[in-house]
Amino acid sequence: MIPAAFEYERPSSLDEALALLADGGDDARPLAGGHSLLPLMRLRLARPTLLVDIGGLNDLRYVRDEGDQIAIGALCTHHALSHAPELSGGCGLIAEVAGQIGDPQVRHRGTIGGSVAHADPASDLPAALLALDAEVVAQGPGGSRSIAAADFFVGPLMSALEPSEILTEVRVAKREGCASGYQKFQRRAQDWAIVGVAAVVESDGGSISNAAIGLTNMSGTPLRATAVEEALAGAADEGAIAEAAKKVSEAGTPFADANASAEFRLHLAEVLIRRVIADAMS
Amino acid sequence: MRRISVTVNGVRHEADVEPRALLVYFLREQLGLTGTNVGCDTSSCGACTVLLNGQSIKACTALAVQADGQDVTTIEGLATNGTLHPMQQAFHDEHGLQCGFCTPGMIMASVGYLSEHSDPDEAEVREALEGNLCRCTGYHNIVRAVLEGAKAMRDSETVVGGGNGAADGSGVAMGRVREGVVVP
Amino acid sequence: MTKYVGGGVPRKEDPELLTGQGTFVETLTVPGMLHAALVRSPYGAARIKSVDTSAALEAPGVVAAFSGEDLADEWAAGLPMAWPVTEDIRIPDHWPIAKDVARYVGDGVAVVVATSRTAATDAAELVEVDYEELPTVVDIESALAEDAPRVHESMENNECYTWTHATGDIDEAFAKADLTVTCNYTQPRLIPNAMEPRAVLAQPSPAAGEFTVWSTTQIPHIAKVLLSMILGIPESKVRVIAPDVGGGFGSKLNVYAEEALCVALARRLGAPIKWVASRSEGYLATIHGRDQLQEIELAATREGKILGYRVKILANMGAYLQLVAPGVPLLGGFLYCGSYGGEAYHFECTGVFTNTTPTDAYRGAGRPEATFAIERAIDTLARKVGVDPAEIRKRNFLPTGEMVESPGGLAFDTTDYEPNLDRALEVLDYGAVSAERDKRREEGASKLLGIGLSTYVEMCGLAPSQVLASLNYGAGGWDAATVRMLPTGKAEVVTGTSPHGQGHVTSWSQIAADALGVDIDDVEVLHGDTHVAPHGMNTYGSRSLSVGGIAVHEACGRVVDKARALAAHLLEVSPDDLEFEDGTFSVKGVPDRTQSIQELAFAAWTAHSLPEDTEPGLEAHCVWDPPNFTFPFGSHICVVEIDTDTGEVDVVRYVAVDDCGNVINPTIVDGQVHGGIAQGVAAALYEEAVYSEDGTLETSTMINYLVPSAAELPSFELDRTVTPSNSNPLGVKGIGEAGTIASTPAVINAVVDALSHMGVEDVAMPATPERVWRTIRDANGGAA
């Protein structure tokens, strides 16, 4: 299928892009790699009237070490992130997750900005951003603002971005001395996650001192499994980790769909938490 | 309509396209490069895989206008002077195709992958092809073909540039090194 | 003297396909071409109260728009169904565009023609259809309920037909049995998913009243006959061309609404009309496969020797009857006894209408379902008797021999089952893998192993025409070939088969090159164009080699016979005094007196000196009508690893030892097996077309209908035994569907085997992680 007709603009600066979006009204959408939007448009499930193609804004492609934070430009592709040497320590989680998104072709085009802004509960990066307490930078006509990941994801395909704003950057605090990992469960390698678990773990003399767990596709938004995190504190062996993982049910009842019942989702989340922690600890 | 300039298989094309024209239809219908097939409408099957600046992409999930100023390689751009690219030859030798519909996409995905991983094992090849579907071969001979093609490319020093992992993701245009000359 | 036959000759088909020069229908353009887009019903059942095309007609680029009523005069007949399996079968009207009622989501209700595909797609959205929703029924059991909504109002219920077939005294077999097993299975609905979506291009020559139709079809010759009938066009004025076709698997073994529609629009508008399906449109508008409920009962002795088979199946036809849909269950109806013996057999099948996309033949067509049922049931019997699955099979195998009577009533051409199974067990190292499975069980490992066997026999070489007559099939089962030596010494083979990935050009070249004694590169194979190859029955049901390939072989023999007579004439000897080797006739004992077949081709063309009563030219035609089916068999063994934490099933090894008789091209044969296995594994573990109660296809795209990729599948370990068929002079059988037929039960048997120590006896298809996880949890009394 072919998308319904739309107007197209290719601004050469962010300011120009913001102005175009503001003029375009509610049915104007920014376009980066297009891997969230174009599939919907092809099936005519999305019909924006104006696409503002920000793909030419090359100053949004960077991974920068800014001392205590890593700043990631919105136009970085998943592929680029999965190979970015700057993403080490806890930030390595971003690289790991990016390398697991979709398939190689998707990773070559899809961008972190597009993926995060799309706020699909089944997409992988949001859970990682939650676990890392990342910030999302939005640029609007009135300037830029920073939104905590925890506040950014509002509902299925809904974020805290205003229609007139463009997500320009993701910022993650640098963390050394911690381990991280992402595990997702899907039927086919190219599929969206049925459930995914992102974890950042700090340990102290063999036991967990601090853990952050982000969940993919367990709800309309990515979630933090706070009860699990609390229960993991002090866990030193498989049994304790397994007990903590059971607390994932306290994150709420997940939804059911054609891929999994709520019960199975919950079960998978528990299994994946066990596995991702065990992997991270080893 | 919007005027774009795209270099396809080393030839620069200027064309007027509708913004909604997908890259794959631009290639097929406006440039007559019909080797790139369309097998689905959900970015699932990979039949339409081409290289954009050396990296594999699904040409059904990019607008032609997004390729403006960039470099595209299609299946038609692989063979040189009537000699099959080593990966095409390997697909032939290993019976890596039956109906042939997925084949251009499979070959382009493989060539793109090998530009970054020249010596993969079977499991890596299978993962690398996760975005390409075939209904005829059960993938058995496709996987063998990619392994053989990789070996042939290493042996013949057929270097495929691009996909250097730069953070800007733009990669480098694909080229073949033949007797020290880079042929775009 | 086979120089080529039996060798893995690289395919002649490849160069174009490897370089992007394939000529698939979507690639074709002709001057003045217009594009059609269909408006399809979004409802499972709805009365079409009105169709308003006025807004669509105003849209840019639109040339015409029609409702079903507008086109009613175009049809001399409805869409065809060629297999009325019983006298009292109910056959509904089926029009290319629905006139009054739409009966499934995707049923065409209007068509828009425009100057571009984009314009046609845009305008189709502007057609306003006033629907009155009607109650729907999508699954077999609901459709058979007394108060079920009727798919066709004119019928008193949703039953299409009931067909029975029996041998022996089934009641007696059950009466004297020591034990019986009763198993119920569901064959999920599958979507064939040839990688190339369907497409049609119909070009009229208005002054001549002729039409050329390029179609993504497996059956150009049959399509020509049927399009002529549907449209009331003389058959000689319809030319159907199947150019490069990107896979079929039965999904292109049909004459579809859009093919008739494009010709009708081309006739009405006097312009070429093209239609190309998107994948998701194809999911609605191209046949689905399987969708059966099965009950199989086995009567057996306490040693596990089967006495009788009683089978009852219900088959979902969908909303209408496509080309051979009612006959699909019959193709399995003789084979629910598999490769095993017995005294009695009773089979009954009822076809059922539902508000779903019509079903029809999908790779294996009836035989995968039959093989699944018997191969699963015999494992259940093995557990009941307490013997190994390999042993129970050996106790029941039909004897080795020729024309071996099966309880299903067929005489199997050649059988030799036990050595074949032994070979598979050896390739796997059955003992060692079984020990590893047992060890993991004992250790309580979280990853369990399961081993599944499937020792299938199938039926191909469709078919002796007289047998088809007895089954009420509306056509013959022969195929045709013409072989001609051209004056330049090259050979031209014209075949009635219509390949779409099977490599007929290569295999037929091998057969002809050997038979004629010419270089394989000097053989050209022509196919897929009814003007070039006027006679054929085309490609489906693993019939091409054992029917069409034999026709090629026999036609070559006739060419050689004629060449021999001409050589004798020119060399002034008796034909009996000639030897023929490597393409050259030589006089016995005088080896320098020769005539090559190339020289004879030229002599036959100049016709300057021919034997009396001999026509010029060196060519021959053969129409081969097989005397019997062929019955390939084999043993497949699947090893799965099940992650008991997640229920994920991973195929870790897959051994296939097939016996398809003599092999023309082992590389191509292996390729067919690989692909077949992959489709069968996919059915066991991944794929299922799911409808909601209101008739919406929930698995509507490749995102949620899970065709597996290379990342989900293993490499396969193949071997062969060779038991030549006696049904044809090449001793060949057929291999196109064997992999699909054998593999699905092998996988499920392996899944069940892995969990059998927990008391698990069945896992429904597809064996999804959640389904397997629940099975394990339930077996453990709720604790996963």
Side-chain angles (χ1 to χ4, degrees):
Chain A
M1 284 261 286
I2 301 144
F6 51 83
E7 297 291 317
Y8 173 85
E9 294 292 347
R10 194 148 206 258
S12 50
S13 72
L14 188 57
D15 286 345
E16 195 187 335
L18 291 168
L20 285 163
L21 268 186
D23 290 349
D26 286 352
D27 293 324
R29 298 284 298 272
L31 176 75
H35 273 54
S36 301
L37 191 53
L38 291 179
L40 293 174
M41 290 172 61
R42 287 186 73 191
L43 296 174
R44 302 200 171 186
L45 298 172
R47 294 166 183 260
T49 52
L50 169 67
L51 286 189
V52 177
D53 182 356
I54 58 171
L57 306 183
N58 282 325
D59 31 352
L60 293 180
R61 293 179 203 275
Y62 55 83
V63 180
R64 256 195 321 254
D65 187 334
E66 296 191 345
D68 54 353
Q69 279 190 322
I70 297 286
I72 303 169
L75 289 188
C76 286
T77 64
H78 306 316
H79 175 264
L81 290 176
S82 70
H83 290 79
E86 298 87 348
L87 295 176
S88 62
C91 299
L93 180 60
I94 303 268
E96 186 181 344
V97 171
Q100 291 188 41
I101 293 170
D103 55 47
Q105 293 96 316
V106 168
R107 295 193 287 273
H108 287 144
R109 288 292 289 167
T111 63
I112 187 170
S115 174
V116 170
H118 192 59
D120 190 317
S123 72
D124 302 299
L125 281 167
L129 300 195
L130 274 190
L132 289 166
D133 292 317
E135 291 165 39
V136 174
V137 179
Q139 192 90 33
S144 83
R145 62 180 178 131
S146 179
I147 308 164
D151 300 326
F152 184 81
F153 302 102
V154 175
L157 308 183
M158 287 187 291
S159 74
L161 278 183
E162 297 295 330
S164 58
E165 286 180 319
I166 290 175
L167 191 164
T168 54
E169 187 178 85
V170 171
R171 302 180 70 83
V172 191
K174 279 166 73 175
R175 290 170 63 173
E176 299 304 328
C178 64
S180 66
Y182 185 66
Q183 294 223 355
K184 66 172 165 176
F185 189 84
Q186 76 270 63
R187 300 278 303 280
R188 297 178 300 183
Q190 67 162 252
D191 289 337
W192 295 84
I194 294 174
V195 175
V197 175
V200 184
V201 185
E202 287 168 13
S203 47
D204 187 6
S207 71
I208 295 172
S209 54
N210 189 17
I213 309 280
L215 303 175
T216 298
N217 215 23
M218 290 287 285
S219 167
T221 62
L223 296 177
R224 278 285 285 265
T226 45
V228 178
E229 294 170 359
E230 284 161 18
L232 279 171
D237 58 24
E238 243 177 63
I241 293 168
E243 275 308 308
K246 286 182 182 164
K247 304 266 184 196
V248 69
S249 60
E250 291 179 29
T253 305
F255 62 91
D257 62 11
N259 295 314
S261 66
E263 189 186 15
F264 188 51
R265 271 210 164 76
L266 207 52
H267 170 76
L268 285 175
E270 187 187 323
V271 171
L272 295 181
I273 289 170
R274 276 198 325 251
R275 289 182 179 179
V276 75
I277 300 283
D279 268 15
M281 298 285 288
S282 65
Chain B
M1 286 295 191
R2 206 177 160 90
R3 172 137 291 229
I4 59 170
S5 166
V6 186
T7 300
V8 182
N9 301 329
V11 179
R12 208 176 72 143
H13 296 268
E14 304 259 347
D16 290 323
V17 296
E18 245 198 301
R20 60 168 156 169
L22 299 170
L23 176 60
V24 68
Y25 291 117
F26 169 70
L27 294 170
R28 288 179 59 86
E29 293 170 6
Q30 273 182 269
L31 301 189
L33 294 168
T34 54
T36 306
N37 291 320
V38 180
C40 76
D41 43 14
T42 48
S43 321
S44 306
C45 81
C48 63
T49 300
V50 300
L51 303 185
L52 182 70
N53 306 322
Q55 292 186 323
S56 63
I57 69 156
K58 293 180 177 178
C60 73
T61 316
L63 301 171
V65 288
Q66 288 180 291
D68 186 20
Q70 306 196 51
D71 194 293
V72 175
T73 307
T74 71
I75 188 70
E76 288 93 342
L78 281 193
T80 44
N81 303 324
T83 303
L84 294 181
H85 182 280
M87 187 57 68
Q88 291 171 313
Q89 187 64 45
F91 269 68
H92 180 55
D93 294 343
E94 299 297 327
H95 188 32
L97 67 156
Q98 291 182 27
C99 82
F101 194 80
C102 75
T103 309
M106 284 285 179
I107 290 175
M108 298 314 291
S110 301
V111 169
Y113 173 73
L114 292 172
S115 68
E116 292 187 10
H117 311 81
S118 63
D119 191 9
D121 62 21
E122 180 188 331
E124 289 167 335
V125 169
R126 286 184 178 275
E127 283 299 321
L129 297 178
E130 66 189 338
N132 291 72
L133 300 179
C134 168
R135 198 60 160 170
C136 294
T137 65
Y139 307 101
H140 183 105
N141 285 343
I142 289 177
V143 172
R144 288 189 351 159
V146 176
L147 291 169
E148 284 304 307
K151 183 169 180 300
M153 286 167 70
R154 293 194 303 276
D155 290 352
S156 66
E157 295 183 12
T158 304
V159 177
V160 179
N164 62 353
D168 72 5
S170 63
V172 177
M174 175 190 150
R176 281 180 212 86
V177 177
R178 292 251 163 82
E179 292 158 13
V181 182
V182 177
V183 185
Chain C
M1 33 169 245
T2 64
K3 188 169 165 192
Y4 299 108
V5 167
V9 176
R11 292 205 322 169
K12 297 171 99 173
E13 290 87 342
D14 289 356
E16 290 88 345
L17 299 171
L18 285 165
T19 51
Q21 297 172 63
T23 49
F24 298 99
V25 174
E26 184 176 359
T27 298
L28 304 171
T29 56
V30 294
M33 187 170 80
L34 301 175
H35 299 260
L38 276 86
V39 178
R40 297 183 182 278
S41 170
Y43 299 107
R47 190 169 311 286
I48 302 160
K49 292 166 73 179
S50 67
V51 177
D52 180 356
T53 57
S54 54
L57 285 166
E58 299 285 309
V62 172
V63 173
F66 303 103
S67 68
E69 208 54 68
D70 296 337
L71 293 173
D73 294 343
E74 296 289 338
W75 321 122
L79 291 170
M81 192 282 288
W83 202 343
V85 293
T86 60
E87 291 302 320
D88 61 351
I89 183 172
R90 291 173 174 148
I91 304 170
D93 284 345
H94 186 188
W95 304 108
I97 297 286
K99 286 194 259 193
D100 48 357
V101 176
R103 294 187 171 84
Y104 66 95
V105 171
D107 208 354
V109 296
V111 60
V112 176
V113 181
T115 50
S116 73
R117 193 175 166 198
T118 305
T121 305
D122 287 350
E125 294 187 329
L126 302 175
V127 174
E128 287 182 26
V129 183
D130 187 9
Y131 295 100
E132 175 195 339
E133 264 193 87
L134 300 171
T136 57
V137 62
V138 298
D139 68 281
I140 294 170
E141 283 174 321
S142 310
L144 291 175
E146 208 146 291
D147 56 349
R150 281 171 294 159
V151 176
H152 298 280
E153 285 169 320
S154 61
M155 299 178 189
E156 67 188 86
N157 57 38
N158 292 317
E159 283 184 41
C160 174
Y161 70 90
T162 295
W163 185 84
T164 57
H165 167 65
T167 69
D169 187 334
I170 194 68
D171 293 331
E172 190 194 323
F174 274 83
K176 73 182 189 193
D178 297 320
L179 52 93
T180 62
V181 297
T182 302
C183 304
N184 289 279
Y185 303 116
T186 300
Q187 296 292 328
R189 178 177 279 247
L190 301 177
I191 300 180
N193 273 298
M195 287 309 302
E196 178 201 25
R198 281 197 302 117
V200 191
L201 168 59
Q203 184 179 35
S205 303
E210 292 175 356
F211 297 86
T212 303
V213 183
W214 289 267
S215 182
T216 55
T217 183
Q218 299 173 224
I219 52 165
H221 295 91
I222 296 170
K224 171 181 158 145
V225 174
L226 296 175
L227 286 172
S228 148
M229 290 163 67
I230 299 165
L231 290 145
I233 300 168
E235 199 182 326
S236 57
K237 305 251 184 207
V238 180
R239 173 185 186 182
V240 179
I241 300 173
D244 285 328
V245 174
F249 317 111
S251 71
K252 295 168 182 170
L253 160 55
N254 242 296
V255 176
Y256 280 103
E258 297 83 2
E259 290 171 296
L261 185 61
C262 285
V263 178
L265 294 170
R267 175 167 63 185
R268 183 163 300 201
L269 300 173
I273 305 290
K274 187 177 188 179
W275 170 80
V276 179
S278 71
R279 173 64 53 185
S280 46
E281 182 180 18
Y283 273 20
L284 302 175
T286 299
I287 61 106
H288 296 171
R290 317 278 193 263
D291 200 345
Q292 295 182 358
L293 298 176
Q294 308 170 299
E295 181 174 274
I296 179 167
E297 295 175 272
L298 303 180
T301 66
R302 69 179 54 81
E303 294 77 31
K305 200 155 168 60
I306 303 171
L307 302 171
Y309 306 79
R310 188 155 53 203
V311 179
K312 190 169 178 190
I313 72 172
L314 302 172
N316 194 338
M317 299 285 107
Y320 303 99
L321 296 178
Q322 285 287 0
L323 192 59
V324 297
V328 168
L330 276 63
L331 291 171
F334 301 91
L335 291 172
Y336 278 79
C337 47
S339 48
Y340 314 118
E343 299 169 4
Y345 183 88
H346 190 275
F347 174 84
E348 179 186 302
C349 168
T350 298
V352 181
F353 291 111
T354 60
N355 294 110
T356 59
T357 292
T359 63
D360 208 330
Y362 167 52
R363 199 172 193 173
R367 291 155 289 158
E369 299 93 311
T371 304
F372 184 89
I374 181 60
E375 289 304 302
R376 289 283 300 111
I378 201 168
D379 264 26
T380 304
L381 178 64
R383 269 190 293 280
K384 197 154 183 175
V385 175
V387 299
D388 186 89
E391 174 58 24
I392 194 98
R393 286 169 167 80
K394 290 182 178 182
R395 287 184 191 178
N396 283 288
F397 275 149
L398 287 167
T400 296
E402 297 198 19
M403 303 310 280
V404 176
E405 291 288 337
S406 150
L410 298 169
F412 292 169
D413 52 354
T414 52
T415 61
D416 196 12
Y417 299 149
E418 192 163 328
N420 178 277
L421 172 56
D422 283 337
R423 181 64 193 138
L425 296 171
E426 186 185 329
V427 172
L428 181 76
D429 199 345
Y430 189 58
V433 179
S434 302
E436 170 68 16
R437 171 198 60 197
D438 296 344
K439 180 167 153 267
R440 291 210 200 174
R441 264 181 206 170
E442 281 154 26
E443 289 171 352
S446 68
K447 291 199 169 177
L448 294 171
L449 284 186
I451 308 169
L453 272 61
S454 170
T455 50
Y456 74 97
V457 60
E458 67 124 337
M459 171 173 105
C460 44
L462 197 74
S465 297
Q466 291 183 16
V467 174
L468 292 178
S470 72
L471 295 173
N472 229 15
Y473 184 72
W478 47 266
D479 221 309
T482 301
V483 174
R484 62 176 66 98
M485 292 298 303
L486 304 176
T488 52
K490 313 288 184 193
E492 189 171 85
V493 173
V494 181
T495 178
T497 65
S498 195
H500 37 281
Q502 297 89 341
H504 294 177
V505 168
T506 303
S507 298
W508 289 195
S509 293
Q510 291 175 261
I511 291 170
D514 275 352
L516 300 169
V518 301
D519 192 279
I520 195 164
D521 291 333
D522 286 345
V523 182
E524 199 69 42
V525 177
L526 306 178
H527 62 80
D529 179 342
T530 59
H531 266 25
V532 174
H535 306 291
M537 277 294 171
N538 310 140
T539 291
Y540 48 89
S542 306
R543 68 187 302 273
S544 296
L545 175 57
S546 65
V547 187
I550 301 303
V552 170
H553 181 257
E554 294 301 288
C556 288
R558 291 173 192 180
V559 166
V560 171
D561 288 347
K562 184 170 184 183
R564 179 184 296 272
L566 179 55
H569 171 75
L570 295 174
L571 294 166
E572 298 178 326
V573 296
S574 153
D576 295 340
D577 292 335
L578 293 174
E579 286 174 334
F580 182 59
E581 204 177 333
D582 278 346
T584 299
F585 291 94
S586 56
V587 180
K588 285 176 192 164
V590 196
D592 58 339
R593 290 193 63 208
T594 62
Q595 281 282 325
S596 72
I597 198 151
Q598 289 86 358
E599 290 168 326
L600 293 164
F602 190 73
W605 180 67
T606 61
H608 292 172
S609 174
L610 299 177
E612 220 166 301
D613 299 329
T614 299
E615 293 172 4
L618 188 49
E619 74 172 75
H621 185 63
C622 172
V623 181
W624 176 259
D625 198 346
N628 189 9
F629 294 94
T630 60
F631 296 91
F633 59 87
S635 305
H636 287 213
I637 309 180
C638 177
V639 182
V640 299
E641 185 174 73
I642 295 184
D643 181 334
T644 53
D645 276 343
T646 62
E648 209 170 3
V649 177
D650 194 14
V651 176
V652 291
R653 284 191 64 193
Y654 197 99
V655 171
V657 180
D658 293 283
D659 192 321
C660 59
N662 289 330
V663 170
I664 304 299
N665 188 319
T667 306
I668 288 177
V669 164
D670 286 352
Q672 288 292 315
V673 175
H674 296 149
I677 294 170
Q679 279 181 33
V681 171
L685 298 179
Y686 292 97
E687 297 181 12
E688 180 177 23
V690 178
Y691 277 92
S692 65
E693 272 186 25
D694 68 1
T696 302
L697 180 64
E698 293 186 339
T699 50
S700 60
T701 71
M702 273 188 163
I703 290 175
N704 42 30
Y705 185 91
L706 306 184
V707 174
S709 78
E712 285 74 56
L713 293 166
S715 283
F716 310 116
E717 302 164 59
L718 267 50
D719 200 357
R720 259 190 289 283
T721 59
V722 177
T723 309
S725 175
N726 59 19
S727 298
N728 59 66
L730 284 175
V732 297
K733 292 186 173 174
I735 197 64
E737 295 157 297
T740 306
I741 290 166
S743 56
T744 309
V747 176
I748 298 296
N749 278 342
V751 170
V752 173
D753 179 60
L755 308 177
S756 60
H757 61 295
M758 305 175 183
V760 171
E761 292 196 338
D762 192 25
V763 177
M765 292 191 286
T768 62
E770 176 156 5
R771 200 166 255 162
V772 172
W773 171 72
R774 285 183 181 284
T775 302
I776 295 168
R777 193 191 55 170
D778 294 349
N780 289 344

